[in-house]
Amino acid sequence: MLNQKKEKLPTPEVSFDTAREMSRYLKEPEAMYVGAPGKHGYLRMGFELDPRGKSILRDLERRAPLIVQQELYFDEEMPEMPCVYILSSGGPNIDGDRYRQDITVKKDAYAWVSTGAATKLAQMKYNYSGLIQNIVLEENAYLEFMPEPVIPCRNTRFISDTRLSVHETATMFYSEIFMGGRKYYKEGELFEYDILSVCSHGERPDGRELFREKFVIDPRVEHPRNLGVMSHFDIFANVIVMTPPDKASEIYDKTQVFIDNDKKLAAGITRLPNNAGLLYKVLGMEPGPVKKMVREFSSLVRQTVKGKKVPEEFPWR
């Protein structure tokens, strides 16, 4: 059962004051101010085992426009795993939006989390959209976080900061897919956004830092089409797998890396520092093949850790 507290607590602050790359985009929107009601979304989810040993969504708090409904159990390979979709009632992200998502998976619990649709970043004139995520996995916990792609429109400004606090015995599969823009919109608008700033950092429950990855894409400073960045590719997938070293080594050895010019796909993998896990990246031209490769990689991770594969994606996804 969901445990939704009746008492409404203040929404945690979402601040990017230390992000120098966003200092050019601090002007208040002329319509609704930064973080106004309906523009300051908050989501807290907590998964744990019930007395029967079933993993459930025990704790849930949601503030508009973020929405989460009751967990479902539709994974045919792991029917005991709760599956949750994060939805938004506010349409695309616009200037001045601030969001925060806190997800905790308790000891021995497991879950799958995604979004109901792609995250669309609308054209912005005054400010920027920001997202903070805190994901905590306790001892022997397991989480697959696989949202739909992010689509930045022309003049988008977006920043995200994701903290992954993962116990040494737990496994975290965290993925994000970034489109170059609305590829088939009118004359196309690939890489015509203003800035994307994306940071992910991992740590142990005691606060010991493991790694930090941050990329700031500003097409006016260095265009993504440059060799060594995106080159001729349009879509970029970034996957972080935090798992015990023996599992990481097994996954690493079984993962193929390649550049296929005929299929217009490329994939690479490397080890994270401090025995934290793996970093997997995919480049492609269309979202379908990129999403399929991320899903196949998640299946490899799940088979290694849980002994079960990821089923085929629903035809309508």
Side-chain angles (χ1 to χ4, degrees), residues 183-203:
K183 185 173 181 178
Y184 300 107
Y185 174 74
K186 295 182 179 179
E187 70 279 6
E189 56 177 23
L190 289 176
F191 305 114
E192 293 189 8
Y193 49 80
D194 287 342
I195 191 168
L196 291 184
S197 175
V198 180
C199 180
S200 303
H201 43 104
E203 61 182 47

Side-chain angles (χ1 to χ4, degrees), residues 291 312-317:
K291 289 171 58 178
E312 291 293 325
E313 181 63 286
F314 295 122
W316 57 86
R317 291 284 287 174

Side-chain angles (χ1 to χ4, degrees), residues 128-148:
Y128 61 88
S129 174
L131 168 67
I132 286 179
Q133 297 183 116
N134 294 293
I135 303 178
V136 178
L137 271 64
E138 297 185 358
E139 184 178 353
N140 202 38
Y142 180 83
L143 175 64
E144 295 175 0
F145 187 83
M146 301 174 62
E148 290 293 299

Side-chain angles (χ1 to χ4, degrees), residues 64-302:
L66 295 178
I67 302 172
V68 166
Q69 298 175 330
Q70 185 155 346
E71 71 274 33
L72 304 172
Y73 294 85
F74 56 70
D75 192 305
E76 295 181 352
E77 298 295 333
M78 288 187 68
E80 71 278 13
M81 183 169 68
C83 303
V84 172
Y85 288 108
I86 300 173
L87 310 174
S88 176
S89 63
N93 292 24
I94 62 174
D95 36 10
D97 282 357
R98 300 291 187 269
Y99 298 101
R100 175 165 169 163
Q101 298 178 165
D102 296 337
I103 303 174
T104 301
V105 186
K106 296 286 189 177
K107 179 182 177 182
D108 296 327
Y110 39 90
W112 179 91
V113 177
S114 184
T115 54
T119 298
K120 302 175 184 65
L121 307 177
Q123 185 171 353
M124 302 177 188
K125 295 176 61 178
Y126 301 103
N127 201 264
Y128 61 88
S129 174
L131 168 67
I132 286 179
Q133 297 183 116
N134 294 293
I135 303 178
V136 178
L137 271 64
E138 297 185 358
E139 184 178 353
N140 202 38
Y142 180 83
L143 175 64
E144 295 175 0
F145 187 83
M146 301 174 62
E148 290 293 299
V150 174
I151 306 175
C153 298
R154 183 179 287 112
N155 299 128
T156 283
R157 301 92 175 256
F158 177 73
I159 182 171
S160 69
D161 184 273
T162 300
R163 180 180 69 95
L164 306 172
S165 177
V166 179
H167 191 275
E168 291 90 339
T169 60
T171 294
M172 168 82 232
F173 184 95
Y174 175 86
S175 67
E176 48 195 4
I177 300 175
F178 294 94
M179 306 281 287
R182 293 180 293 181
K183 185 173 181 178
Y184 300 107
Y185 174 74
K186 295 182 179 179
E187 70 279 6
E189 56 177 23
L190 289 176
F191 305 114
E192 293 189 8
Y193 49 80
D194 287 342
I195 191 168
L196 291 184
S197 175
V198 180
C199 180
S200 303
H201 43 104
E203 61 182 47
R204 293 305 182 198
D206 59 5
R208 178 165 54 94
E209 295 182 355
L210 300 175
F211 65 88
R212 182 182 182 88
E213 182 191 41
K214 181 173 183 176
F215 51 88
V216 178
I217 307 175
D218 185 339
R220 292 170 299 182
V221 176
E222 182 175 3
H223 202 276
R225 288 295 188 205
N226 291 345
L227 187 65
V229 187
M230 292 286 290
S231 187
H232 61 282
F233 292 105
D234 295 338
I235 302 172
F236 167 62
N238 197 47
V239 181
I240 296 172
V241 177
M242 298 180 68
T243 193
D246 60 327
K247 302 296 185 183
S249 294
E250 186 176 347
I251 296 166
Y252 183 91
D253 292 339
K254 293 181 179 179
T255 301
Q256 293 184 340
V257 297
F258 63 89
I259 298 177
D260 192 324
N261 291 321
D262 293 330
K263 294 183 178 180
K264 298 181 180 180
L265 284 170
I269 190 170
T270 188
R271 297 179 186 271
L272 291 170
N274 300 307
N275 288 321
L278 302 168
L279 184 64
Y280 180 69
K281 298 181 184 289
V282 180
L283 295 174
M285 300 299 292
E286 302 293 340
V290 173
K291 289 171 58 178
K292 183 178 180 181
M293 287 198 61
V294 171
R295 194 171 183 87
E296 290 174 350
F297 184 61
S298 72
S299 186
L300 172 60
V301 173
R302 187 194 289 188

Side-chain angles (χ1 to χ4, degrees), residues 55-69:
S55 186
I56 60 172
L57 177 57
R58 172 67 73 182
D59 183 39
L60 173 62
E61 182 178 357
R62 54 198 177 190
R63 310 281 175 88
L66 295 178
I67 302 172
V68 166
Q69 298 175 330

